[in-house]
Amino acid sequence: KPLAIVFDLDGVITDTAHLHFLAWRKVAGELGIVIDEVFNDSLKGISRGESLLRILRHGGKEGAFTRAEREQIAARKNALYVDSLRTLTPQAVLPGIRELLSALRSEQIKTGLASVSLNAPAILQALQLTPYFDFCADAARIQRSKPDPEIFLAACNGLHVSPQACIGIEDAQAGIDAINASGMRSVGIGSTLTGADLLLPTTEFLTWPRLSAFWQLDK
Ligand code: G6P
Ligand code: MG
């Protein structure tokens, strides 16, 4: 069996992508930039600063702000986002995830988190999932957003396992590309992803028997 399973957070463990979207839409609107959910998809797995750059580019305002101004805008978005996280309770854990995490504990398979969100530890707390994770990669120490494999490699490193012995789970294309580049085996959630070693429609399909069968099949 795999030595570890490394999870993305947004869209795999809980659906915070919509909360990110609402906060960005408000901030972008104040700058005269309109974003929709389709555009928001391209921000999944992308750090806060890089997301802002993409939004400004989308609105044709790349050069309009200094670095200090951009930091202020990003801080405003984060304040809105953090405020919206108050609505997050253990009920917001996506279907099947708590069961999977507890099955992995029984199987003594290590668990890691690879989210570039600086709010990830607070989100795990709010969902009451912190005890299920052996190691969370520290987003503050990550230089490059997904699709760079850096954060998945950091998670494997922290778990003291080689990427080749691990499965990574992601709902965004940038995330699948990052997992594949890391040498881990990739499991995708959703229907629009390409390149995942195993593709499942929703988190409900994420069960240990299914992951175990996938691991053995691929060997
Ligand atoms: C995740 C989300 C992105 C978000 C990033 C940074 O990767 O998918 O949409 O921009 O985290 O989140 P943060 O909470 O640090 O702003
Ligand atoms: Mg995600």
Side-chain angles (χ1 to χ4, degrees):
K1 51 193 183 188
L3 294 183
I5 301 201
V6 179
F7 293 79
D8 169 47
L9 176 65
D10 294 319
V12 173
I13 289 173
T14 189
D15 200 1
T16 37
H18 190 67
L19 300 178
H20 278 293
F21 170 63
L22 293 178
W24 277 130
R25 187 175 63 178
K26 184 137 204 264
V27 167
E30 290 165 1
L31 305 173
I33 299 171
V34 177
I35 61 169
D36 61 14
E37 301 241 25
V38 175
F39 175 78
N40 188 59
D41 258 10
S42 71
L43 300 181
K44 288 183 179 170
I46 308 300
S47 71
R48 196 182 307 162
E50 175 67 23
S51 294
L52 176 57
L53 287 175
R54 291 190 186 198
I55 289 168
L56 293 176
R57 206 177 304 141
H58 180 72
K61 303 202 176 192
E62 319 175 55
F65 303 95
T66 63
R67 191 190 186 88
E69 286 168 335
R70 289 201 308 269
E71 267 163 26
Q72 264 180 13
I73 298 168
R76 162 133 175 85
K77 181 268 175 178
N78 191 53
L80 291 168
Y81 177 66
V82 168
D83 191 56
S84 72
L85 289 178
R86 286 183 308 164
T87 61
L88 217 57
T89 67
Q91 311 234 321
V93 177
L94 285 169
I97 294 298
R98 196 178 295 274
E99 294 77 2
L100 174 62
L101 288 168
S102 111
L104 296 178
R105 275 279 177 266
S106 309
E107 294 290 329
Q108 296 185 308
I109 294 169
K110 292 180 180 178
T111 49
L113 190 77
S115 169
V116 301
S117 172
L118 294 163
N119 294 298
I123 293 171
L124 285 189
Q125 282 287 346
L127 300 174
Q128 293 177 14
L129 289 182
T130 309
Y132 286 104
F133 285 88
D134 297 306
F135 184 79
C136 298
D138 182 357
R141 289 165 177 265
I142 299 300
Q143 305 293 320
R144 295 172 297 276
S145 283
K146 300 165 188 177
D148 192 285
E150 185 180 9
I151 192 151
F152 282 99
L153 294 174
C156 293
N157 221 16
L159 290 166
H160 309 292
V161 291
S162 89
Q164 285 71 24
C166 301
I167 293 176
I169 307 180
E170 263 287 353
D171 70 311
Q173 190 60 51
I176 292 294
D177 296 343
I179 294 172
N180 290 341
S182 77
M184 306 165 79
R185 295 203 211 156
S186 56
V187 174
I189 306 297
S191 51
T192 59
L193 302 173
T194 57
D197 297 321
L198 173 68
L199 194 59
L200 301 172
T202 67
T203 56
E204 273 161 294
F205 292 81
L206 267 180
T207 61
W208 166 242
R210 205 171 255 122
L211 291 179
S212 170
F214 156 67
W215 185 262
Q216 284 164 39
L217 191 99
D218 225 42
K219 269 244 138 134

